[in-house]
Amino acid sequence: MNLNDLVTHYVAFRRTLGERCDSTEQTLRSFGRAIGPRTPISRIRPRAVAKFLVGTGPITRTWHFKYFTLKGFFRFAVSRGHLALKQAMFLPPNGIRR
């Protein structure tokens, strides 16, 4: 499954739970543009995720929001069988500093 389709499924899932998740969708769509919306989910590499998270400048609340959004998204992908757990383990730990 490609990234864009999985983002659509994830956002639909979150909305069925009653969330508005507009910011989450915006962040994931931005991630898709950075990676490539037609990229297969299994071909996303740790370096690309780190580059998206880092952005420019110091770690801010935005970094944390992106991190937890991606963490939830990748957990969803693993739970639906689109990604192996070991492939999703490339997110840095919560306390990372640059």
Side-chain angles (χ1 to χ4, degrees):
M1 176 171 276
N2 68 41
L3 181 58
N4 193 42
D5 293 342
L6 193 56
V7 167
T8 302
H9 287 226
Y10 179 69
V11 169
F13 168 72
R14 300 304 290 191
R15 287 191 173 141
T16 61
L17 297 175
E19 291 182 31
R20 290 182 56 198
C21 71
D22 296 330
S23 298
T24 299
E25 181 177 18
Q26 184 179 15
T27 299
L28 291 173
R29 298 286 178 203
S30 176
F31 178 65
R33 285 189 303 274
I35 302 295
R38 295 287 172 207
T39 302
I41 190 72
S42 60
R43 300 207 55 211
I44 297 174
R45 300 292 172 238
R47 182 174 291 226
V49 174
K51 186 176 179 182
F52 175 75
L53 283 173
V54 169
T56 58
I59 291 178
T60 61
R61 178 69 187 124
T62 301
W63 184 94
H64 290 278
F65 182 77
K66 286 181 185 179
Y67 172 80
F68 287 110
T69 298
L70 289 176
K71 185 176 180 180
F73 175 69
F74 285 116
R75 289 180 71 191
F76 175 82
V78 169
S79 72
R80 298 303 189 270
H82 299 294
L83 196 61
L85 181 59
K86 68 178 184 173
Q87 290 174 302
M89 297 304 289
F90 54 73
L91 286 177
N94 292 348
I96 192 166
R97 297 284 183 248
R98 14 177 210 144

